[in-house]
Amino acid sequence: EAGVAQSPRYKIIEKRQSVAFWCNPISGHATLYWYQQILGQGPKLLIQFQNNGVVDDSQLPKDRFSAERLKGVDSTLKIQPAKLEDSAVYLCASSLGDRVNEQFFGPGTRLTVL
Amino acid sequence: AQKITQTQPGMFVQEKEAVTLDCTYDTSDQSYGLFWYKQPSSGEMIFLIYQGSYDEQNATEGRYSLNFQKARKSANLVISASQLGDSAMYFCASLYPYTGRRALTFGSGTRLQVQP
C-alpha cells in the first residue's frame, strides 16, 4: 500500500515570495491533515479536511495561508506571502475517518524562508 | 485545554537497557486517545502505540509499552531492550474524538540517544 506522498521535499524561498505544497493521501482515506512543525517543537495542526470539507482551520493564519482539497483526494497548501517565521517542516497526514486511531504521515516538506 | 507535557528534552540510554519517556496530559474529558510517535532524523512521523481512555489494559506493541495511569493523567512510553536504531525524537500526542479537536495535539518531544 502506498503511503502519504508529499512534494516538494525541500523548498528555499525569499520572504514575501509565494510557495505551494502538495499532498496525496493514502487511497480511501477521507480525512487529511496539514501540520506545521517548527524546529525543536512538536507538530501543530494547521487545517483538517473531511473529504473536501474543512473540519478545523482555527490555527491556520488565514491572512497568508490557504489550503484546498478538491474532489476530496489531493490537497494543496499555499503560503502567500511567506515570512521568516514560516520556516518549518510541513507535514501532511491522512486517516480513514476523523474519529479513528491512527494517522499516517508523509515525509514532509522542509521550507526555508530567507 | 488539550495540553501534552513532555518534561524530558533529552534522554540517554545504554543499548539493551529499558528506558521510560514521560508524558502527562491535561483534560476533563472522559473519551480520548493517547499516542506515541517516533521521528527519526529523516523526518517522517512513525506511529508506535495507542491507548484509549477506556482501555483497562496498558497497550503493548513489541518492545513498546504504554504505562497508562489515568488518575495521574500520565501516559509514559517504555522501550525495552533499546537498540541503536531507537535513537530519535519521540512525541506524545492526544486526540479527543467526540468533544475536542479531532486532530493530534503533540507535546514538545523527547530526544532519545541510545549509546553502544
Side-chain angles (χ1 to χ4, degrees):
Chain A
E1 178 181 271
V4 177
Q6 288 187 249
S7 68
R9 290 296 312 277
Y10 304 93
K11 189 74 176 178
I12 301 174
I13 61 173
E14 295 189 349
K15 60 183 179 184
R16 291 188 289 273
Q17 286 187 325
S18 302
V19 65
F21 313 128
W22 173 82
C23 173
N24 186 20
I26 292 173
S27 178
H29 280 196
T31 308
L32 185 147
Y33 313 79
W34 282 101
Y35 292 87
Q36 179 193 56
Q37 186 177 19
I38 293 172
L39 186 65
Q41 300 181 17
K44 181 187 80 172
L45 178 74
L46 290 175
I47 190 167
Q48 177 183 352
F49 292 96
Q50 178 77 6
N51 296 308
N52 60 352
V54 175
V55 174
D56 185 348
D57 64 356
S58 58
Q59 298 187 104
L60 186 75
K62 299 180 185 64
D63 58 332
R64 298 183 300 106
F65 286 66
S66 64
E68 60 182 10
R69 190 184 184 197
L70 300 177
K71 302 180 182 177
V73 182
D74 293 8
S75 178
T76 303
L77 177 69
K78 295 179 181 177
I79 308 175
Q80 181 179 8
K83 293 185 175 181
L84 296 177
E85 58 261 36
D86 298 332
S87 293
V89 175
Y90 291 85
L91 294 163
C92 180
S94 70
S95 64
L96 279 170
D98 68 341
R99 300 187 195 278
V100 297
N101 298 347
E102 190 173 352
Q103 296 180 20
F104 296 84
F105 283 80
T109 296
R110 183 177 297 277
L111 174 67
T112 302
V113 182
L114 303 176
Chain B
Q2 301 168 2
K3 186 177 179 182
I4 294 286
T5 301
Q6 295 181 254
T7 57
Q8 306 154 311
M11 291 280 287
F12 288 91
V13 65
Q14 291 293 121
E15 196 177 5
K16 300 180 185 176
E17 292 187 348
V19 63
T20 298
L21 306 183
D22 294 342
C23 172
T24 58
Y25 57 95
D26 182 13
T27 183
S28 56
D29 287 27
Q30 297 300 309
S31 180
Y32 51 89
L34 299 162
F35 302 75
W36 278 92
Y37 279 83
K38 173 184 178 182
Q39 188 175 43
S41 56
S42 53
E44 74 270 29
M45 297 289 283
I46 302 168
F47 167 76
L48 295 179
I49 197 166
Y50 164 81
Q51 180 85 43
S53 58
Y54 293 114
D55 295 340
E56 295 184 354
Q57 303 271 1
N58 285 343
T60 60
E61 290 285 349
R63 294 187 297 112
Y64 304 107
S65 61
L66 199 151
N67 184 0
F68 181 45
Q69 299 189 39
K70 200 168 182 177
R72 294 186 177 183
K73 296 185 179 178
S74 73
N76 299 339
L77 177 70
V78 180
I79 305 175
S80 63
S82 297
Q83 302 172 356
L84 295 177
D86 293 336
S87 294
M89 284 292 291
Y90 288 80
F91 291 95
C92 181
S94 62
L95 186 151
Y96 299 83
Y98 299 105
T99 61
R101 171 167 291 128
R102 300 198 297 271
L104 294 167
T105 298
F106 288 87
S108 55
T110 295
R111 179 173 298 282
L112 177 67
Q113 292 186 287
V114 180
Q115 298 175 318

